[in-house]
Amino acid sequence: MQQEEQCFDLVVVGAGSGGLAAAKRAASYGASVAIVEGSRVGGTCVIRGCVPKKLLVYGSAMGEQLADAPSYGWPVQPVPPQTDVLLSHVRREVDRLNGIHEAALARAGVTLVRGWAHFLDGQHLQVGDQVLRGTTILIAVGGEPVRPPLPGADLALVSDDLFLLERFPRSMVIIGGGYIACEFACILRGLGVAVTQVVRRQLLRGFDGGCVASVEAGMVDQGVVLRKGTSPQAISRLPDGYQVTLVEGGSLEAEAVLLATGRQPRLEGLNLEAAGVVVDGQRIPVDQDQRTNLPHVFAVGDVTDRVNLTPVAVDEGRAFADSQFGHKPRRADHSLVASAVFTQPELATVGLSEEEARRQHGEAVRVCEARFRSLSRALPKTGSPCHLKLVLGPQERVLGCHMVGEHSAEIIQMAAIALGMGATKGDFDRTMALHPSISEEFVTM
Ligand code: NDP
């Protein structure tokens, strides 16, 4: 039977952060827009990433607050967490946000097409029994966890699975040293799970080394067991858990294993060859206007594998829509993107690490740092010290601003404005301190 095609000015593939932003912005300019989603509307960030993860971070950190409470005159006794309750409450919030995003699409007049999209040619996509024709097509399918080719890799959990558990296990081996591994090591440890983290090189490669050392000290202090310089060889099942054998010899046992060994664009099933979209390895290369090798096919977010962060995908999506449908051409700016790792202690950063600044500017680099216990920890006398760091370049320009400690993500977000404006150490010094605060150290160093 001949399938009737539905025609749109824009077909967006993937209702995650980048796709949703682009679809709604394009619709606001009067374009007819369809968005295709095979899973839940909201994508990685809302459904199985940033948002539920941050809620788990809050839940995990609650234990430390309870432990500190007696020193502030609240004579509460430590109690074991009910991780089943935490996980079900987090899922309820994710459901609520999923509903909000679906309602927002409907309000914006965007047609939601449920199913997995498959290119038939450069202009047409098959979704279930429907055929969509897009004058312009945006690929915003995001990424997915990578399982390394280890024997037994399929026995391990990946980060997506953690949000679906009924309760957290009593012990876990986490493989990886990146964002996801470190964040979950801290979340789980804070919830009483015995965590061993297998790190083949170093933690948080690419971040400022001195700050990573402070995070590492805090994680060890919290009770995360780090096995650095080790790699997994195989994962096997035991009667009551799993065993990870290590390349360097020996093995680790736990109730569960988490593979947090990176993410990659989710291209499977898209049939990009039929469209003629060029792929580089596992990613879709684009130019500064988010355009692929085809003039009418664009891509934003993690599928382009550049700066894989939600706000970047959102801005790329909006810049694409402004340029293609709003007659307001602009490009997403990938310089000075602030980011945070929600470990306990939290790490946040904007600009160059000390190592990268020295590579680029050599002797001209100067570093100012402060390490101290925050006032909030003065009574309980617990917790790792805060670590604040400014990396200065030629003419004392602030090239990097890094922080480990309470509220560092909130503080660095504001510092990013100053760095974006080209602030110098003199500008920081001229700013009156706000006392007592942690971030006042940035203007008094
Ligand atoms: P990362 O790329 O950050 O880290 C992957 C880690 O896995 C590295 O430590 C790597 O080691 C290790 N690894 C890879 N393969 C193996 C292997 N075969 N054996 C042992 N170790 C291995 O990936 P993540 O999964 O942590 O995060 C993916 C992306 O998600 C991030 O890049 C980030 O963009 C995003 N994200 C952002 C967050 C935030 O903003 N707070 C939070 C979570 C994710 P090595 O260093 O030796 O290569």
Side-chain angles (χ1 to χ4, degrees):
M1 191 175 70
Q2 183 77 33
Q3 287 169 324
E4 199 181 318
E5 66 181 36
Q6 299 172 65
C7 300
F8 296 90
D9 297 327
L10 172 65
V11 175
V12 179
V13 186
S17 303
L20 287 170
K24 287 184 291 183
R25 183 64 64 92
S28 77
Y29 294 125
S32 62
V33 183
I35 190 163
V36 185
E37 177 55 61
S39 179
R40 301 183 74 191
V41 170
T44 302
C45 174
V46 175
I47 308 294
R48 59 192 84 84
C50 324
V51 172
K53 180 274 309 286
K54 187 92 189 270
L55 292 170
L56 291 178
V57 170
Y58 290 132
S60 171
M62 213 52 90
E64 202 172 55
Q65 291 172 26
L66 284 175
D68 289 351
S71 69
Y72 281 100
W74 293 82
V76 293
Q77 294 298 318
V79 284
Q82 296 176 323
T83 62
D84 54 340
V85 175
L86 172 61
L87 283 161
S88 86
H89 288 183
V90 169
R91 280 194 285 269
R92 197 167 64 196
E93 177 60 8
V94 167
D95 290 347
R96 190 184 73 84
L97 295 173
N98 171 240
I100 285 177
H101 281 289
E102 289 187 5
L105 279 181
R107 254 198 328 276
V110 175
T111 303
L112 172 61
V113 181
R114 294 186 189 273
W116 299 104
H118 178 87
F119 276 96
L120 297 172
D121 57 37
Q123 217 89 48
H124 295 88
L125 290 145
Q126 177 99 40
V127 186
D129 56 6
Q130 302 181 61
V131 174
L132 310 180
R133 182 185 193 284
T135 308
T136 300
I137 296 174
L138 177 69
I139 304 171
V141 294
E144 61 188 353
V146 177
R147 283 178 198 267
L150 295 175
D154 55 332
L155 296 174
L157 302 168
V158 291
S159 58
D160 294 0
D161 303 322
L162 291 175
F163 302 105
L164 304 175
L165 295 175
E166 277 311 308
R167 60 162 189 88
F168 285 129
R170 284 181 298 278
S171 57
M172 189 170 297
V173 172
I174 298 181
I175 298 169
Y179 282 82
I180 295 179
C182 292
E183 290 183 341
F184 272 105
C186 294
I187 288 169
L188 293 166
R189 186 66 210 120
L191 292 167
V193 179
V195 175
T196 306
Q197 193 177 344
V198 174
V199 182
R200 70 176 171 189
R201 281 188 271 184
Q202 63 195 75
L203 286 188
L204 299 171
R205 206 152 49 80
F207 285 88
D208 182 90
C211 289
V212 170
S214 296
V215 172
E216 187 174 329
M219 288 174 67
V220 170
D221 198 40
Q222 196 197 359
V224 174
V225 177
L226 289 177
R227 293 291 301 265
K228 286 170 75 181
T230 54
S231 300
Q233 189 167 48
I235 303 169
S236 54
R237 205 188 291 273
L238 297 173
D240 54 355
Y242 297 91
Q243 182 178 55
V244 180
T245 46
L246 302 171
V247 173
E248 295 73 16
S251 63
L252 301 166
E253 291 176 11
E255 197 180 318
V257 178
L258 172 68
L259 280 172
T261 45
R263 293 175 59 85
Q264 66 182 17
R266 196 179 194 290
L267 300 183
E268 207 184 313
L270 270 180
N271 198 26
L272 291 170
E273 315 77 60
V277 174
V278 166
V279 174
D280 170 14
Q282 185 66 26
R283 62 182 277 273
I284 299 180
V286 289
D287 66 13
Q288 286 179 304
D289 296 315
Q290 310 298 143
R291 190 179 263 112
T292 67
N293 62 304
L294 301 180
H296 68 290
V297 179
F298 297 76
V300 295
D302 289 8
V303 76
T304 65
D305 201 13
R306 294 167 299 169
V307 185
N308 297 340
L309 298 170
T310 294
V312 176
V314 168
D315 197 48
E316 288 172 359
R318 288 184 182 151
F320 152 79
D322 290 343
S323 306
Q324 300 305 318
F325 297 97
H327 307 293
K328 296 178 206 161
R330 71 176 185 97
R331 289 171 171 167
D333 181 359
H334 289 168
S335 62
L336 287 175
V337 177
S339 72
V341 188
F342 293 100
T343 38
Q344 296 163 45
E346 187 171 295
L347 165 65
T349 178
V350 60
L352 301 184
S353 64
E354 181 181 345
E355 295 81 0
E356 187 53 36
R358 290 200 189 282
R359 246 190 308 278
Q360 291 185 21
H361 301 282
E363 293 292 299
V365 171
R366 186 165 81 84
V367 168
C368 302
E369 315 186 63
R371 287 186 177 81
F372 56 95
R373 192 182 287 266
S374 75
L375 190 57
S376 70
R377 299 306 172 110
L379 301 188
K381 298 189 171 43
T382 57
S384 42
C386 297
H387 182 178
L388 278 61
K389 183 165 177 176
L390 290 179
V391 177
L392 310 176
Q395 285 86 49
E396 296 277 276
R397 177 144 177 197
V398 182
L399 301 176
C401 184
H402 312 276
M403 177 171 169
V404 180
E406 287 163 49
H407 313 303
S408 57
E410 307 290 350
I411 292 165
I412 292 296
Q413 174 69 92
M414 292 293 103
I417 300 172
L419 264 69
M421 295 173 75
T424 62
K425 177 73 165 60
D427 295 320
F428 273 60
D429 292 345
R430 244 193 320 282
T431 306
M432 194 64 78
L434 192 160
H435 183 76
S437 67
I438 297 173
S439 48
E440 66 178 307
E441 291 290 331
F442 274 128
V443 298
T444 56
M445 287 175 181

